[in-house]
Amino acid sequence: NVLLKALGFNTSQTINLFTSEQLTWLASHEAEGMDIARFLEQNNNSTRAKDFGNLAIDNLRSYNESNYPGKNDGLPFNWWNDENQIEQILGDPYEDWKRISQEEKRLTKIFPNIAYRIYKNKEIAFEKTHQLFGTVIQNLNGKPDAFRHAFFQAINTVNARKYFTKLFANAHESETPQIWQLEKQMDLYNNEIGMDLIEFDHPNWTDTNQIANEILNLLNNGELVYLSPINYSDPNFWENPSTTKPNDGNHGINSQTQITPTNQ
């Protein structure tokens, strides 16, 4: 109990949640224990969070060199405990201005199976968006971006349900700088629409084409949002010349930019 309290499990109710096997594992995995304790605290030690904390421990205990997330794709064992590996494996080649946040890394260390499934779905979401809209700069913060976010979170919810999908989606936006706050609001709104489509409206849907068609209908009906106007020719779109930080441009957002329904 002293060790567990040192890791952050500071209530008897939480400590008594674990089996003796889980306690033994926690005692020898301090870093993971701290991440799980932080996860429980951030979710107010809710019953659901505790249930998923138990599941996380059991999953992590079960992984070995012959059975772990990403093995079939040639990833190294324990990649989820190495932040450099997480960056390399889960880093987004399409949105390199949005690096993986510390909260995403913490969640990945606790739930690597879900993190990797979401990573695989990201490619599916970009391919479907490209198929429907092409590859143009207007994808960013425009209607194609609205579609992609809603579709991506919908297919994530098929695999991980809304609880985990929202944890990772919100973590991805947790370090968004002030200059992109409208972009963050847009993304979170469309994320929620995609998650709710599967969680509440069509919980048995699994076909990605069917889901994409419905998201496209929502977009055409104005149930998603995008940013307008966006100045796609702004010379500071990708880079802010007053700083040395890469990829910190304004993304065309200006004082006239507003969150706008996608049927406008």
Side-chain angles (χ1 to χ4, degrees):
N1 283 5
V2 172
L3 173 61
L4 291 173
K5 288 179 180 178
L7 293 177
F9 299 102
N10 51 17
T11 68
S12 59
Q13 182 183 11
T14 301
I15 291 173
N16 292 335
L17 172 73
F18 303 118
T19 66
S20 58
E21 292 83 3
Q22 291 172 329
L23 292 173
T24 299
W25 184 87
L26 283 168
S28 59
H29 293 80
E30 180 176 348
E32 291 91 335
M34 293 180 68
D35 285 325
I36 291 169
R38 188 179 293 108
F39 166 76
L40 294 177
E41 180 183 3
Q42 289 175 340
N43 289 275
N44 301 314
N45 284 299
S46 68
T47 299
R48 198 172 192 187
K50 291 174 183 177
D51 289 343
F52 286 126
N54 271 276
L55 179 63
I57 294 173
D58 288 341
N59 282 343
L60 292 170
R61 288 175 58 221
S62 72
Y63 298 148
N64 56 55
E65 293 194 14
S66 63
N67 176 27
Y68 64 90
K71 174 179 170 56
N72 292 339
D73 293 316
L75 301 189
F77 180 59
N78 253 347
W79 60 266
W80 56 91
N81 283 321
D82 183 330
E83 291 200 0
N84 290 328
Q85 289 278 1
I86 292 174
E87 286 277 4
Q88 181 179 346
I89 294 167
L90 303 187
D92 194 337
Y94 304 97
E95 292 185 324
D96 60 358
W97 59 90
K98 282 187 178 178
R99 307 309 304 166
I100 294 176
S101 70
Q102 285 301 314
E103 188 58 30
E104 280 181 285
K105 291 175 183 176
R106 281 193 285 267
L107 286 172
T108 296
K109 292 173 184 177
I110 304 172
F111 305 110
N113 54 327
I114 294 172
Y116 196 63
R117 181 65 261 178
I118 289 173
Y119 163 75
K120 301 276 279 188
N121 282 345
K122 188 179 298 182
E123 183 68 27
I124 295 172
F126 272 101
E127 287 180 357
K128 180 57 71 173
T129 305
H130 173 72
Q131 175 188 335
L132 292 173
F133 299 97
T135 302
V136 292
I137 190 173
Q138 284 83 356
N139 281 7
L140 180 60
N141 293 332
K143 295 180 183 181
D145 205 12
F147 169 88
R148 180 175 60 82
H149 272 268
F151 176 66
F152 178 42
Q153 303 306 342
I155 61 176
N156 287 339
T157 305
V158 169
N159 297 125
R161 310 316 307 170
K162 182 176 180 178
Y163 183 86
F164 284 116
T165 298
K166 190 166 185 174
L167 283 177
F168 276 89
N170 288 353
H172 184 63
E173 304 286 350
S174 63
E175 296 175 7
T176 302
Q178 186 61 37
I179 193 173
W180 299 338
Q181 285 305 302
L182 273 181
E183 184 174 306
K184 176 179 179 178
Q185 293 174 39
M186 167 193 164
D187 292 347
L188 290 177
Y189 184 94
N190 293 322
N191 288 349
E192 195 79 15
I193 295 295
M195 288 184 277
D196 286 350
L197 174 69
I198 300 302
E199 186 77 2
F200 301 116
D201 299 333
H202 302 287
N204 296 320
W205 279 12
T206 59
D207 182 81
T208 56
N209 290 324
Q210 183 181 35
I211 294 169
N213 288 338
E214 183 59 23
I215 296 292
L216 197 57
N217 287 335
L218 294 175
L219 183 145
N220 291 332
N221 291 337
E223 296 185 52
L224 304 182
V225 297
Y226 72 115
L227 299 187
S228 180
I230 291 288
N231 183 2
Y232 289 103
S233 61
D234 192 320
N236 300 332
F237 190 92
W238 295 117
E239 302 286 349
N240 181 352
S242 64
T243 75
T244 58
K245 185 178 180 180
N247 303 311
D248 65 340
N250 59 30
H251 294 174
I253 298 170
N254 55 58
S255 59
Q256 281 73 50
T257 304
Q258 296 181 337
I259 294 177
T260 306
T262 49
N263 62 348
Q264 296 181 20

